[in-house]
Amino acid sequence: MASFPPRVNEKEIVRSRTIGELLALAAPFDKKCGRENWTVAFAPDGSYFAWSQGYCTVKLVPWSQCLKNFLLHGTKNITNSSSLRLSRQNSDGAQKNKPREHIIDCGDIVWSLAFGSSVPEKQSRCVNIEWHRFRFGQDQLLLATGLSNGRIKIWDVYTGKLLLNLVDHTDVVRDLTFAPDGSLILVSASRDKTLRVWDLKDDGNMMKVLRAHQNWVYSCAFSPDSSMLCSVGASKAVCIKVLIHLF
C-alpha cells in the first residue's frame, strides 16, 4: 500500500479543491487531426503555463493573469478567441518579458512539452549562455514541443517565435526534460527507442544518442543537481545514467 512521506500532510491533500478549468475553443474549420490534450507544463519560475490544446496547437498563458481570472470569474476559463495565433514562421515582435497569451501552431500533434530557463533552478554550476545563432540574456525562457513526426520545436516563450527545429528522432517524441542547472541541455525520449541529448546553447546540436532501452521510451527526468538522468520505457525497466560520463 502506498503512503506519503512524513513531511506531507494528508489532511491538507484531502481538503484540496479545483480552482479552475481551462477550456479550448471548438475545433477549427480546417479540422487538423489530433484533438486530444496530451500534455501540460509550468515554467520553472511559475510565470507561464502551457498545454497542448489538440489540433497541433499549444496554448501559452501568463499564469498570474490566469489565476486572477479564476478568482474574478469563477472556475471556467474559456480560451479567448481574440488571442494571438502565431504560425510556425511568424513573430509579432512582442515586447520581450511582457507576459502575453500565445497560441502556437506546431504543425503536428503535440505529445510533450517542457520549459527551459537559462536561470538555474539551483546554483549547481556557473553557466555562460552564448548562442551561435541567437544571443539572449540570462533570463531566457524557452518552450520545447515534442511532435508526432519525431521533430522537436523550440519557441521563445515571450514572443512565440520559432527558434530551432530539431530533426533526428524517427518516431513520436513522448517526453522532454531540461537540465535544471540553466545550461539549456535538453533530453528527449521517443518511441524510436532512444533518448537524445541536445545542447540548445550550441544551435541545438545533438550531443549524444542513448540506446539503453529495447522498446519505446516513455519518460525521462534529471536529478535536481543535473548530474544524473533517468528514463523508463515499455520494457518496464528504469535506466539511470551518470551524466558526467556522457559529456
Side-chain angles (χ1 to χ4, degrees):
M1 180 177 176
S3 61
F4 293 102
R7 66 178 181 275
V8 176
N9 188 334
E10 296 184 40
K11 293 181 180 179
E12 291 296 327
I13 294 176
V14 172
R15 289 200 296 265
S16 65
R17 63 186 178 86
T18 300
I19 63 169
E21 182 179 1
L22 293 166
L23 303 176
L25 291 174
F29 290 112
D30 54 3
K31 294 190 180 298
K32 294 176 182 177
C33 63
R35 66 180 180 178
E36 296 87 355
N37 292 190
W38 285 112
T39 183
V40 294
F42 274 105
D45 62 358
S47 60
Y48 274 88
F49 175 76
W51 93 95
S52 60
Q53 290 188 302
Y55 304 103
C56 311
T57 61
V58 170
K59 177 81 169 183
L60 270 169
V61 181
W63 182 242
S64 61
Q65 184 59 49
C66 183
L67 195 57
K68 183 186 297 184
N69 289 342
F70 285 140
L71 296 176
L72 290 176
H73 306 296
T75 60
K76 300 282 185 180
N77 189 347
I78 300 176
T79 298
N80 188 347
S81 60
S82 63
S83 295
L84 180 64
R85 176 178 288 274
L86 295 170
S87 70
R88 284 164 280 174
Q89 302 299 328
N90 185 44
S91 172
D92 66 348
Q95 184 178 355
K96 186 175 171 65
N97 295 334
K98 181 180 179 181
R100 293 189 58 182
E101 282 191 6
H102 298 299
I103 298 179
I104 298 174
D105 183 356
C106 295
D108 208 334
I109 300 172
V110 181
W111 279 78
S112 50
L113 296 172
F115 282 96
S117 174
S118 56
V119 178
E121 295 179 28
K122 293 186 177 180
Q123 297 292 336
S124 57
R125 61 189 173 109
C126 180
V127 180
N128 181 26
I129 305 299
E130 292 184 358
W131 287 29
H132 295 181
R133 293 171 57 197
F134 308 103
R135 290 186 179 274
F136 296 124
Q138 293 293 324
D139 62 344
Q140 185 61 37
L141 184 60
L142 306 177
L143 178 71
T145 56
L147 308 182
S148 181
N149 60 11
R151 296 192 176 197
I152 302 167
K153 295 189 176 183
I154 309 298
W155 309 84
D156 185 316
V157 170
Y158 302 124
T159 66
K161 181 181 179 181
L162 177 63
L163 301 177
L164 294 168
N165 194 359
L166 310 180
V167 184
D168 264 297
H169 282 298
T170 59
D171 209 332
V172 173
V173 180
R174 287 293 306 265
D175 197 21
L176 296 164
T177 184
F178 277 94
D181 62 2
S183 62
L184 294 180
I185 297 297
L186 174 69
V187 175
S188 54
S190 173
R191 283 184 181 177
D192 66 9
K193 306 177 186 179
T194 69
L195 296 110
R196 295 173 190 258
V197 184
W198 314 84
D199 186 357
L200 298 193
K201 70 180 186 292
D202 185 19
D203 294 348
N205 177 51
M206 188 178 67
M207 303 169 63
K208 193 79 174 179
V209 180
L210 305 177
R211 305 181 186 276
H213 294 270
Q214 301 300 313
N215 293 292
W216 293 357
V217 189
Y218 290 148
S219 183
C220 55
F222 276 97
S223 62
D225 64 357
S226 302
S227 66
M228 292 184 289
L229 175 73
C230 61
S231 59
V232 66
S235 62
K236 302 181 181 180
V238 176
C239 297
I240 300 176
K241 297 283 187 181
V242 180
L243 297 186
I244 191 171
H245 298 309
L246 296 180
F247 312 138

